[in-house]
Amino acid sequence: EITMTQSPATLSVSPGERATLSCRASQSIAGNLAWYQHKPGQAPRLLIYGASTRAPGIPDRFSGSGSGTEFTLTISSLQSEDFAVYYCQQYNNWPPYSFGQGTKLEIK
Amino acid sequence: EVQLVQSGAEVKKPGATVKISCKVSGYTFTDYYMHWVQQAPGKGLEWMGLVDPEDGETIYAEKFQGRVTITADTSTDTAYMELSSLRSEDTAVYYCATDSSGYFDYWGQGTLVTVSS
């Protein structure tokens, strides 16, 4: 079973600044990684799949990178609507499909 | 437009069984796996299992094996998740989500299940 570890648990960033979120897999998952944004009371929203491909309708300020075991989600210039919890998820070796524990992105 | 519409909130007593539905529209139901994901209060997302609507085959997470049953009704384009022997730790929001290539493209709005005596 693959364990996904996200860091940091909480990230405080000012609007307009860049945010960098990390996700590490316990073994190689190639590029089979997705990122989701989750706001309270809403369904999670797919942002990135294949480690770096933006889902339809996702603004280009969101970008993903990495392969193997180390991955990064970067939000280039934070907007007010970007403050949320972000999860990574691997789909290389399943079952189970495993999520990271999440990074809460909060306003500084 | 793809839509996944889940049934409403449930309150159950410990030991009871809950069954949640997820009705889809906007795509061919049998084309994609349907997954169920749990989010307990203050916790992250946890994958519970999936069903292949085309043939009804299921795969469950070890944690829920024996207590969860996921089914798909192709006559109504609806997926179901049944969780039995409920305990307080099952209090959570449950989401259905489609899978086109391993990642979860579309999600239902979530269903809150509260287990309380």
Side-chain angles (χ1 to χ4, degrees):
Chain A
E1 178 173 339
I2 296 177
T3 300
M4 306 301 292
T5 303
Q6 292 185 239
S7 61
T10 303
L11 183 61
S12 299
V13 182
S14 300
E17 293 189 340
R18 174 189 296 256
T20 302
L21 290 66
S22 297
C23 175
R24 173 177 293 178
S26 60
Q27 64 189 75
S28 178
I29 57 170
N32 295 311
L33 182 102
W35 289 95
Y36 302 88
Q37 178 190 68
H38 195 195
K39 297 180 180 179
Q42 297 185 19
R45 175 191 182 195
L46 175 67
L47 298 175
I48 301 284
Y49 62 91
S52 60
T53 302
R54 275 188 300 277
I58 301 303
D60 61 7
R61 65 179 181 273
F62 291 91
S63 63
S65 63
S67 66
T69 62
E70 301 284 342
F71 300 87
T72 301
L73 174 70
T74 302
I75 311 170
S76 60
S77 178
L78 279 164
Q79 308 296 303
S80 58
E81 62 266 30
D82 299 335
F83 293 96
V85 179
Y86 291 82
Y87 294 95
C88 61
Q89 175 238 334
Q90 71 83 20
Y91 51 95
N92 190 66
N93 287 23
W94 57 269
Y97 295 79
S98 35
F99 292 90
Q101 80 279 20
T103 290
K104 181 180 181 181
L105 182 56
E106 63 177 28
I107 300 174
K108 186 174 182 180
Chain B
E1 180 192 7
V2 173
Q3 287 194 311
L4 283 65
V5 179
Q6 297 183 221
S7 49
E10 303 263 11
V11 179
K12 295 291 184 181
K13 294 192 182 302
T17 295
V18 69
K19 188 171 185 177
I20 301 168
S21 67
C22 173
K23 182 167 176 58
V24 313
S25 60
Y27 74 97
T28 302
F29 183 49
T30 52
D31 279 355
Y32 304 127
Y33 292 165
M34 182 65 76
H35 299 258
W36 288 87
V37 175
Q38 180 195 62
Q39 184 177 37
K43 303 293 186 182
L45 304 173
E46 185 160 17
W47 179 77
M48 300 178 70
L50 68 84
V51 63
D52 181 348
E54 186 165 44
D55 60 11
E57 181 178 345
T58 54
I59 302 175
Y60 300 126
E62 194 172 320
K63 174 180 177 179
F64 299 100
Q65 187 84 38
R67 288 204 303 136
V68 67
T69 304
I70 299 174
T71 55
D73 183 345
T74 57
S75 68
T76 59
D77 290 350
T78 302
Y80 297 91
M81 189 281 291
E82 184 175 86
L83 189 61
S84 63
S85 302
L86 288 169
R87 39 213 190 217
S88 58
E89 310 90 89
D90 297 319
T91 293
V93 176
Y94 294 85
Y95 295 97
C96 57
T98 63
D99 160 8
S100 64
S101 298
Y103 46 89
F104 304 154
D105 313 74
Y106 297 97
W107 296 67
Q109 82 275 19
T111 297
L112 173 63
V113 174
T114 303
V115 182
S116 173
S117 55

